Amino acid sequence: GAVVSQHPSRVICKSGTSVKIECRSLDFQATTMFWYRQFPKKSLMLMATSNEGSKATYEQGVEKDKFLINHASLTLSTLTVTSAHPEDSSFYICSARWVATNEKLFFGSGTQLSVL
Amino acid sequence: AQKVTQAQTEISVVEKEDVTLDCVYETRDTTYYLFWYKQPPSGELVFLIRRNSFDEQNEISGRYSWNFQKSTSSFNFTITASQVVDSAVYFCALSEAGSGGYQKVTFGTGTKLQVIP
């Protein structure tokens, strides 16, 4: 079946540094990818919708300058957490929309970000 | 606005017992999609089912079954003869049906299922 690869699976960084998370659709083209954030024991919250070749659409309350999203190709979207702080520590998950499969969403394996 | 409520935060059952996970949703859309996802301890989300709002037929897949009741806005998930490998967090989700397919997905808060051997 379709696979979405998300990398890295875990990252620990110092406060003030930037971290890039990649989301790749391995065997299909994804014109739309979504980025979610999940706090411990909480649900997934949609952060933004990433559209290939255009600007991402951010949900209310999500800082676009802090969470930079780039969807430069049909198989790759990246989320960069800029100047990370401990409150940005969370589990980030991407998903990709594959229109050909009756529009299922396929999820990456997630990235656990810990900011010291 | 869309909302998905999973009132059961945690459930523990003994292996081989049946268990039902509840999901109640709210939406103003007449056409929408409902989902169930499984999140094992490793973190990835595993797709289980997608159901269209106009298809109320219940579905069975192996030990899994889903009961969609539009009248009560519920989409409950039952695992029959539970196994230890079923231990995970299960999310119910809802998406609006924009042109060309669904758009944003709203997740419930999840139900943590623990199956005790």
Side-chain angles (χ1 to χ4, degrees), chain B residues 5-107:
Chain B
T5 302
Q6 293 179 258
Q8 304 151 308
T9 306
E10 293 191 37
I11 300 176
S12 290
V13 298
V14 177
E15 199 171 21
K16 297 184 182 178
E17 286 184 348
D18 298 347
V19 58
T20 295
L21 308 182
D22 298 333
C23 174
V24 176
Y25 63 91
E26 296 176 28
T27 180
R28 293 180 179 177
D29 294 335
T30 55
T31 304
Y32 49 89
Y33 299 92
L34 295 163
F35 306 81
W36 275 96
Y37 288 91
K38 175 182 180 180
Q39 187 179 38
S42 52
E44 75 273 20
L45 281 175
V46 178
F47 169 88
L48 297 178
I49 190 172
R50 186 186 86 150
R51 175 50 50 92
N52 299 322
S53 57
F54 45 84
D55 180 6
E56 289 194 66
Q57 189 172 12
N58 291 327
E59 183 161 339
I60 298 174
S61 176
R63 295 185 297 109
Y64 296 166
S65 62
W66 291 269
N67 186 315
F68 178 28
Q69 296 283 339
K70 207 168 181 178
S71 60
T72 56
S73 298
S74 65
F75 187 45
N76 296 337
F77 172 35
T78 297
I79 301 175
T80 304
S82 60
Q83 300 176 2
V84 174
V85 294
D86 296 328
S87 297
V89 179
Y90 290 85
F91 289 97
C92 180
L94 166 73
S95 76
E96 59 193 12
S99 60
Y102 59 67
Q103 304 298 321
K104 293 188 282 187
V105 179
T106 300
F107 286 84

Side-chain angles (χ1 to χ4, degrees), chain A residues 46-85:
Chain A
L46 179 65
M47 298 175 65
T49 302
S50 171
N51 299 298
E52 187 268 335
S54 63
K55 291 183 179 180
T57 304
Y58 290 82
E59 294 301 301
Q60 191 173 10
V62 177
E63 299 177 60
K64 60 180 67 176
D65 294 331
K66 180 162 190 63
F67 298 100
L68 299 179
I69 291 173
N70 184 286
H71 194 155
S73 77
L74 286 171
T75 59
L76 174 64
S77 175
T78 60
L79 167 67
T80 301
V81 183
T82 61
S83 186
H85 290 285

Side-chain angles (χ1 to χ4, degrees), chain A:
Chain A
V3 176
V4 173
S5 173
Q6 187 172 340
H7 178 80
S9 58
R10 182 179 295 274
V11 58
I12 302 172
C13 68
K14 292 182 178 180
S15 185
T17 61
S18 294
V19 175
K20 180 184 284 188
I21 303 170
E22 293 187 349
C23 181
R24 294 179 184 272
S25 55
L26 295 187
D27 50 8
F28 66 98
Q29 293 183 332
T31 55
T32 305
M33 290 186 176
F34 303 89
W35 287 96
Y36 294 84
R37 180 174 180 176
Q38 184 180 27
F39 293 98
K41 298 185 179 181
K42 298 291 184 182
S43 185
L44 291 90
M45 302 299 295
L46 179 65
M47 298 175 65
T49 302
S50 171
N51 299 298
E52 187 268 335
S54 63
K55 291 183 179 180
T57 304
Y58 290 82
E59 294 301 301
Q60 191 173 10
V62 177
E63 299 177 60
K64 60 180 67 176
D65 294 331
K66 180 162 190 63
F67 298 100
L68 299 179
I69 291 173
N70 184 286
H71 194 155
S73 77
L74 286 171
T75 59
L76 174 64
S77 175
T78 60
L79 167 67
T80 301
V81 183
T82 61
S83 186
H85 290 285
E87 58 265 29
D88 298 325
S89 298
S90 191
F91 191 62
Y92 294 87
I93 301 178
C94 71
S95 68
R97 173 184 163 191
W98 190 17
V99 177
T101 58
N102 201 20
E103 298 160 7
K104 286 182 185 178
L105 271 183
F106 294 93
F107 285 84
S109 55
T111 298
Q112 181 64 54
L113 170 63
S114 299
V115 184
L116 305 177

